[in-house]
Each structure stands twice: as structure tokens, then as C-alpha cells.
Amino acid sequence: SHGFLALAAPRPIEGPVLAELQRRAGRIGDWIAGGLSQEEIDRGNRWLIGQSARERSAAASLAGVRSVEDLGRVIESFSEQLFPIEYSGIYFLDPYSGALRLVYAKGLNELERQNAERTAPQRHPGQVIRTGVPVEIEDTAVQSDPTEPPGHGRLVRSRIYLPVRVEGQTVGSIGFASSQPSAFGKQHHEALAFLCDLAGVTYARIRDHEELLRRGRMLEASAIANERLLKAIEWRAAATAALALVGDALGVSTLALVEVQRAAEDEPLDFIWQPVFGAPWPHRDRVARLTGPELEQMCGGHSLELAVETGRRSLILKPVLVGDQVW
């Protein structure tokens, strides 16, 4: 089989008409096949067999992927099977922090990979994720952007980036790059679109799986924490242990219960958990000394997001109310 014939009709086709169409379709197929040489037929069959094998391999490999790092490695292995690529980068938005991560980079050492990840939001990968529009640069010497940071520092003359989408939202970008101008054509665009589709489906499955596991860990941690608090004689130690259980289940870098200080001389009452025990938490004073508008917002029972020195919103505050006042 080398293809199919598609028929459209305003009403269902059945009975003698359907039988006649099937007979004629078979004759058309035989006529087309008769016009092909045996070499062309054999080549087409080999391509179909190879494509089927690649799709089965892709399905088997992606079924075992459990992280975006694994996904990056699998997608890269597929691209290498299709054609040689000098540089490639696979970027995904972290589902928890929102940071743009370079989960796989071909042709870069570790320092160059870190530089590429750090500058990605200001370069083409970030542009693709913000806009959802592909980027294709045939020659950077002609289509240069003076506002774009240098990234990894390697010489790149041509590049192509396509978005990875999940349910209409852009969650990542996969790109190829070369030190030669005009290195990418239609076949690269089609292959990259295929890889982006695979990555999107698998990313959605990873995200759903991680969310299911997180909810399970959270329910278990909350139950254990409540039990320990109810049975505790020394409640301070129990409160810290409860924070550790819940913080670990949430996968956060800090979980703190902080008393709002309304005067500078107030004795602080804090319970702070971090994965690294005893590490300083530089944002404690920012959380404990809220401004008037921030206190007013939280007294209404609303959560609050605070920007820290990096400019990113990474502190999320939930109010603990005693009466109508934030504790």
C-alpha cells in the first residue's frame, strides 16, 4: 500500500454505489502502481518500513520518560536519527518556578550551556515561548539583532526555533543552529515540527504525572503533620517537623510560618524549613515587615506575591488570620 483515495459526499455512500467505487479505486491503485518502477516501489516500501520502525521506537522511548531532562535526551536522539545537526537546544518552562530551562544542548560544554540557559529569555527561545511564533534565521550576519545577548558564545550563522505547545499554550521551544548560513530547509522544519509535537504530548503527560504524585505526597504529609501536632507535647518542635513534611511534599525551597512584626522591637516567632538545614533565609525580614497596603490585602484573606531582588515573583504569602487581623 502506497497511499489512499479520499472521497467526500453529501450523503452516506452504500450499496451498489459503494461497491462500484471500491472496484474502481482498486483499478486506479493498480494503474498508479503500474506506472512506477520496481526500484521506486521497493524504495517506498523501505521508507514505510523505516518510518513505522521509527514511530514504534519513539512511542517505546517516550513511554519511559519521567522528567523533562529525560525528554530532552530522547528528543535529541530522534533528531540525530533524522540528520546530523551541529547545535541543538531544547528549552522548557519549569512547571513550578516558571523559569526557562535548557534541558538538553548539543555542541555546548557545561559553562556554555549555563550561559545559554541564563540568557534564553532575552534570546530567540524566549521570544518563541512568549509569542508562540517560530523563528527562522537564514543568516545572522544579515538578520542581526543588536539587543540579543551573546548566549553561549559559539559562532552561529543560521538557526531555527519552533514552539512546543500543550493545550494551546507554548511550554517550550526546540531549535537547531549551525555555523553555516542557510543550513536549514523544509525537511528540517518538518522534522522539527514532528519533534515538537512529540515533546508536547510527552510534556503534558509528565506534568500530569508529577501533579498526581505531588497531590498524593501532599495529602499524606498533611495527614501525618496534623497527627503529630495533635499529639505533640512540645508544639514548637512538632510545628517545625510538620513544616518539613509539607515543604518536602510541595517541593519548595522554603516553607515558613512567620509572625508579622508590627514594631521593630517585637520578638520574632518563626518556623522556617529549608531542604538545607540551618541555611539562612534572606527574605525573612521582607515577609515579617509587610507594608500597610500589603497587610490590608492579606487581612481580606487574599494571597500575596512578593518580588525579591532578582525581580521575579518567587515569594507567595498566604494569610493566617486571627479574628480579622493577620497573625
Side-chain angles (χ1 to χ4, degrees):
S1 174
H2 295 274
F4 61 89
L5 295 173
L7 302 173
R11 294 185 302 276
I13 302 174
E14 54 190 6
V17 175
L18 179 60
E20 179 63 16
L21 284 173
Q22 289 172 334
R23 185 181 67 81
R24 294 194 181 192
R27 291 174 60 187
I28 292 172
D30 293 339
W31 176 77
I32 293 174
L36 299 174
S37 68
Q38 188 61 41
E39 181 183 356
E40 288 175 313
I41 294 174
D42 291 342
R43 184 167 60 248
N45 283 335
R46 286 194 300 271
W47 183 88
L48 288 171
I49 292 171
Q51 181 67 12
S52 178
R54 284 191 292 270
E55 291 176 356
R56 288 196 304 270
S57 174
S61 299
L62 292 171
V65 168
R66 290 291 180 267
S67 68
V68 290
E69 291 81 7
D70 290 343
L71 177 57
R73 286 189 288 269
V74 170
I75 292 297
E76 177 59 30
S77 71
F78 291 155
S79 69
E80 290 179 349
Q81 293 175 27
L82 297 173
F83 32 62
I85 294 296
E86 191 174 358
Y87 303 116
S88 65
I90 301 174
Y91 296 82
F92 284 110
L93 290 172
D94 187 281
Y96 296 110
S97 68
L100 185 56
R101 295 173 51 200
L102 176 55
V103 300
Y104 195 92
K106 179 182 179 181
L108 305 180
N109 60 38
E110 179 56 26
L111 179 59
E112 291 167 339
R113 191 204 68 80
Q114 292 176 7
N115 290 335
E117 182 176 84
R118 177 176 53 81
T119 59
Q122 291 79 44
R123 296 188 295 107
H124 288 123
Q127 176 185 334
V128 170
I129 290 176
R130 286 191 301 273
T131 64
V133 178
V135 168
E136 297 183 51
I137 306 294
E138 292 189 358
D139 191 348
T140 57
V142 178
Q143 299 171 266
S144 61
D145 184 354
T147 65
E148 184 174 339
H152 49 71
R154 295 288 183 101
L155 173 65
V156 170
R157 288 291 299 275
S158 57
R159 60 176 61 127
I160 175 174
Y161 285 98
L162 263 62
V164 177
R165 295 188 178 93
V166 174
E167 297 177 351
Q169 293 186 335
T170 304
V171 298
S173 175
I174 302 178
F176 297 151
S178 173
S179 60
Q180 303 299 317
S182 303
F184 306 110
K186 180 181 178 182
Q187 74 276 19
H188 296 94
H189 192 289
E190 291 175 349
L192 195 53
F194 168 70
L195 295 175
C196 286
D197 289 342
L198 288 179
V201 172
T202 308
Y203 181 89
R205 181 181 59 76
I206 292 172
R207 188 176 61 184
D208 291 344
H209 179 69
E210 288 181 346
E211 179 62 18
L212 186 63
L213 292 178
R214 189 191 68 83
R215 289 183 181 181
R217 290 194 301 266
M218 189 63 201
L219 287 172
E220 182 180 5
S222 298
I224 296 173
N226 285 332
E227 183 180 2
R228 290 188 179 181
L229 287 171
L230 289 173
K231 293 181 178 179
I233 297 175
E234 174 49 58
W235 68 273
R236 293 174 183 268
T240 303
L243 284 182
L245 284 167
V246 177
D248 186 56
L250 285 171
V252 295
S253 60
T254 304
L255 184 63
L257 180 64
V258 179
E259 182 180 17
V260 174
Q261 289 185 246
R262 289 175 170 80
E265 64 276 8
D266 287 351
E267 182 71 21
L269 179 61
D270 301 339
F271 297 93
I272 300 173
W273 171 85
Q274 295 179 107
V276 180
F277 180 75
W281 185 40
H283 308 306
R284 184 263 167 199
D285 288 342
R286 177 68 182 92
V287 172
R289 295 184 173 90
L290 298 175
T291 65
E294 291 169 346
L295 280 173
E296 184 178 352
Q297 179 178 338
M298 296 194 75
C299 283
H302 303 292
S303 299
L304 182 66
E305 292 189 33
L306 297 180
V308 293
E309 68 275 3
T310 60
R312 289 172 44 206
R313 292 181 174 179
S314 56
L315 296 179
I316 302 176
L317 275 57
K318 299 280 187 178
V320 177
L321 298 175
V322 178
D324 58 353
Q325 294 296 312
V326 177
W327 174 81

